[in-house]
Amino acid sequence: MPAPDHDVEFCTLGMFIIDDIDFGGIRPGVKNITGGAASFAVVGARLVSGSKHSQAVSWIVDVGSDFPPETLAVIKSWNTDCLFREDSSRLTTRAWNGYHPNEQRDFKYLTPKLRLEPEMLSDRQICANDLTATRGIAKGGELPPDTHALQRPIFVWEPVPDLCTPEEQENFLAANKFVDVVSPNHMELGMMFDQPSWTEESQQGQDLVEKITSSGIGSDGNGLLVIRAGKEGSYAYSKTCKIWLPAYHQPNASGATPVVDPTGAGNSFLGALAQGMVTAGREPFQVIQSILSQSETWRKGLDSWGSFQNYPMALICATVAAGFVVEQIGVPQIGKGNGEELWNQSEFTERVRLYTQRLLKTLEESPRRHLLTN
């Protein structure tokens, strides 16, 4: 196999998992679905990278004796820099996902898991520009691990949901200092701090954001807290900046949406965010900037981000990427049309354009809501 012609821009320590999904009686459950944090994070990064830079997206897939051939074909169709590790003596990692009406998810492994560790990364992966991890909350500054890269990558961390408990609050705040972006969802953040759920509208929710950002995220203390709030979109905060972005899919007049299954949307959001944070200037960013530069509100808001002005645009890319993932059970379908790469029969950049046009309208109508000012 020829050597890849791109440096690695994105790598994940998430696991590949084959999922069974139980929809709580709302509709029949499904089995053998391509899933896991790694698959969905890679889809998000791959949407943002585009076909031209697909080999800049790198990851590891552990292939057990029961690995479905059709799943292998799907993964290969993405043309990523994927390291397949085959082991016929074990089963592929499998898990069960159960959903409640309030979007709360239950999760359990059905076969022994094989967690990825930093030392498993190849030399090429170690030199990635950014690294995503879905890991347990660390003690003693163990997260993220030392990658020994020549230049420190950007670390994007999703705390593992099982450890989003009140007992782990101090470990959570300590671990935040070793990553650049920390992103629990609104349910998990609420559980960790003894709340039913986190909401931006409540004083309690605002006080919690202040507590986390004041405690410090990243080596300089000014990293990013990104709260993924499901159908409400996402909220991003640092010590000096904040922004709210609505979800890509919004209900129509009858209340209907194209959302089929939210599994993996958060992971794809973070994969796209991570990739976007290191790929400013490419076509999706050009589209966003050409539209939003018309807004004085946006221009002023962007100034507050200083040298990180690409981050709000990366958040837009992340929002659009998550919109692809919720449209079906499992991963979106890749294809070609008129010589262009399509996902679910749509171009990623075209959806970025459509979303950004909607955002421009609502930004002008409700600037305080988007910029989270009183």
Side-chain angles (χ1 to χ4, degrees):
M1 180 181 294
D5 58 357
H6 285 92
D7 291 334
V8 173
E9 295 173 342
F10 169 91
C11 187
T12 178
L13 283 172
M15 289 187 295
F16 173 87
I17 300 174
I18 297 175
D19 282 332
D20 292 351
I21 304 175
D22 182 346
F23 295 103
I26 298 174
R27 58 178 181 270
V30 293
K31 297 180 180 295
N32 290 325
I33 303 299
T34 300
S39 300
F40 288 110
V42 163
V43 165
R46 180 63 179 77
L47 281 160
V48 176
S49 75
S51 58
K52 184 178 179 181
H53 302 279
S54 63
Q55 284 284 307
V57 177
S58 190
W59 58 314
I60 295 172
V61 172
D62 285 303
V63 178
S65 59
D66 59 340
F67 201 89
E70 60 272 19
T71 301
L72 186 62
V74 168
I75 293 172
K76 288 185 175 180
S77 73
W78 303 339
N79 192 34
T80 56
D81 178 39
C82 183
L83 173 61
F84 293 98
R85 302 192 305 184
E86 299 185 15
D87 184 351
S88 60
S89 68
R90 68 180 297 273
L91 296 175
T92 305
T93 303
R94 292 177 177 267
W96 173 87
N97 297 264
Y99 283 97
H100 299 270
N102 64 354
E103 296 187 359
Q104 182 180 342
R105 183 183 72 149
D106 292 330
F107 177 89
K108 66 179 179 180
Y109 289 100
L110 301 176
T111 62
K113 66 180 179 180
L114 182 57
R115 195 173 83 166
L116 293 181
E117 300 294 346
E119 58 269 21
M120 298 176 180
L121 298 178
S122 68
D123 290 343
R124 175 172 151 79
Q125 291 170 328
I126 285 173
C127 294
N129 290 346
D130 57 27
L131 184 71
T132 69
T134 305
R135 298 288 297 272
I137 296 173
K139 295 179 174 62
E142 296 172 0
L143 184 86
D146 183 3
T147 62
H148 304 292
L150 294 177
Q151 181 177 349
R152 184 186 183 278
I154 294 172
F155 286 96
V156 178
W157 177 41
E158 177 190 11
V160 68
D162 288 352
L163 292 179
C164 289
T165 63
E167 295 75 21
E168 296 290 345
Q169 287 181 22
E170 293 307 313
N171 290 326
F172 168 75
L173 295 173
N176 287 345
K177 294 176 173 58
F178 295 88
V179 299
D180 301 282
V181 179
V182 57
S183 182
N185 70 29
H186 62 305
M187 302 289 292
E188 296 157 0
L189 186 60
M191 288 189 299
M192 190 183 303
F193 288 89
D194 279 323
Q195 301 175 18
S197 180
W198 176 88
T199 62
E200 213 283 330
E201 291 76 15
S202 71
Q203 187 61 50
Q204 195 174 22
Q206 294 174 23
D207 291 345
L208 180 52
V209 167
E210 175 66 22
K211 177 177 181 177
I212 294 170
T213 55
S214 295
S215 175
I217 300 169
S219 57
D220 65 353
N222 199 36
L224 207 57
L225 168 65
V226 179
I227 303 170
R228 294 166 287 115
K231 62 185 179 182
E232 301 302 323
S234 67
Y235 298 82
Y237 305 88
S238 72
K239 285 182 177 178
T240 58
C241 313
K242 48 189 177 181
I243 190 170
W244 167 71
L245 294 173
Y248 181 84
H249 290 299
Q250 296 296 315
N252 60 21
S254 66
T257 75
V259 175
V260 173
D261 177 17
T263 305
N267 299 123
S268 65
F269 180 100
L270 294 179
L273 173 61
Q275 180 68 20
M277 291 172 77
V278 298
T279 56
R282 294 181 186 165
E283 188 177 6
F285 282 77
Q286 294 172 10
V287 169
I288 295 168
Q289 189 60 20
S290 68
I291 295 171
L292 292 182
S293 62
Q294 304 170 44
S295 168
E296 184 178 355
T297 299
W298 173 261
R299 294 195 302 270
K300 288 182 178 179
L302 208 58
D303 286 343
S304 68
W305 290 78
S307 60
F308 302 107
Q309 293 187 10
N310 60 315
Y311 287 9
M313 290 184 276
L315 286 161
I316 290 173
C317 289
T319 301
V320 176
F324 280 90
V325 170
V326 299
E327 294 172 351
Q328 67 286 304
I329 297 171
V331 295
Q333 185 175 4
I334 192 172
K336 288 280 187 181
N338 297 321
E340 300 293 335
E341 179 174 272
L342 304 178
W343 293 80
N344 290 355
Q345 302 182 330
S346 300
E347 288 184 60
F348 175 72
T349 301
E350 175 61 13
R351 287 207 187 181
V352 169
R353 183 184 69 81
L354 293 172
Y355 178 82
T356 307
Q357 288 176 336
R358 298 202 311 259
L359 181 61
L360 174 63
K361 184 174 184 292
T362 60
L363 188 64
E364 294 304 290
E365 293 172 346
S366 307
R368 293 179 181 272
R369 186 180 182 200
H370 283 288
L371 302 180
L372 301 175
T373 55
N374 294 326

